[in-house]
Amino acid sequence: NTKITQSPRYLILGRANKSLECEQHLGHNAMYWYKQSAEKPPELMFLYNLKQLIRNETVPSRFIPECPDSSKLLLHISAVDPEDSAVYFCASSWTPNSDYTFGSGTRLLVI
Amino acid sequence: AQSVTQPDARVTVSEGASLQLRCKYSYFGTPYLFWYVQYPRQGLQLLLKYYPGDPVVQGVNGFEAEFSKSNSSFHLRKASVHWSDWAVYFCAVSMNSGTYQRFGTGTKLQVVP
């Protein structure tokens, strides 16, 4: 899926700090971070629409989103917890209520 | 508030058989409805979408879904299942007022010979 690229693909962390990156090549106005734990549906973490953070679910403060421009999204993680082990997906869409395009995800393992 | 329910966590069908995956929604206003598929170790991919209009919508790979206002449903159908359809299917709903999508809990489809 080259429409949305995510890096890294895999990440193994102790209690280090790290950032996940996402870039979309679709010209979409809205971008999202989702967390998907095993055998669960994706859970919305953050939503940016036209670069403005307009939705922030009850996510631990160790997760900090950043939207440096309309095509890029970052997720800064500090002092991760084992419960943070999951796949983190980036997605984008024209508007928050239109269809979403997902990236391939970053698999985070906290040891 | 809008929400979507997928009552079947797991469905098993024989290859070549027909398929229906159920989705029920609740909303205030005009719903937009979606079906996504997630293959192992991949992100979600759009199968089809419903915006107000023809209640039967066609998607990729022979999938279709039918919007029913009276039953508050948006079931996914396929006439003949292929082994490559083995995946998890998610139903989602948003509204024309601009709210973001809510996802169902997903249905895992297993295809047997």
Side-chain angles (χ1 to χ4, degrees), chain A residues 84-95:
Chain A
D84 299 331
S85 294
V87 181
Y88 291 83
F89 287 104
C90 175
S92 69
S93 66
W94 288 111
T95 60

Side-chain angles (χ1 to χ4, degrees), chain A residues 5 22-28 31 51 67-73 90:
Chain A
T5 56
C22 172
E23 184 171 13
Q24 55 102 354
H25 309 278
L26 299 163
H28 286 165
M31 296 188 74
K51 290 188 61 182
C67 189
D69 65 55
S70 58
S71 67
K72 292 181 181 165
L73 201 57
C90 175

Side-chain angles (χ1 to χ4, degrees), chain A residues 68-85:
Chain A
D69 65 55
S70 58
S71 67
K72 292 181 181 165
L73 201 57
L74 305 174
L75 184 63
H76 305 294
I77 313 173
S78 59
V80 290
D81 188 90
E83 70 179 23
D84 299 331
S85 294

Side-chain angles (χ1 to χ4, degrees), chain B residues 84-101:
Chain B
S84 60
D85 294 324
W86 186 313
V88 181
Y89 294 79
F90 292 97
C91 184
V93 62
S94 63
M95 289 164 53
N96 67 336
S97 58
T99 58
Y100 65 91
Q101 289 184 24

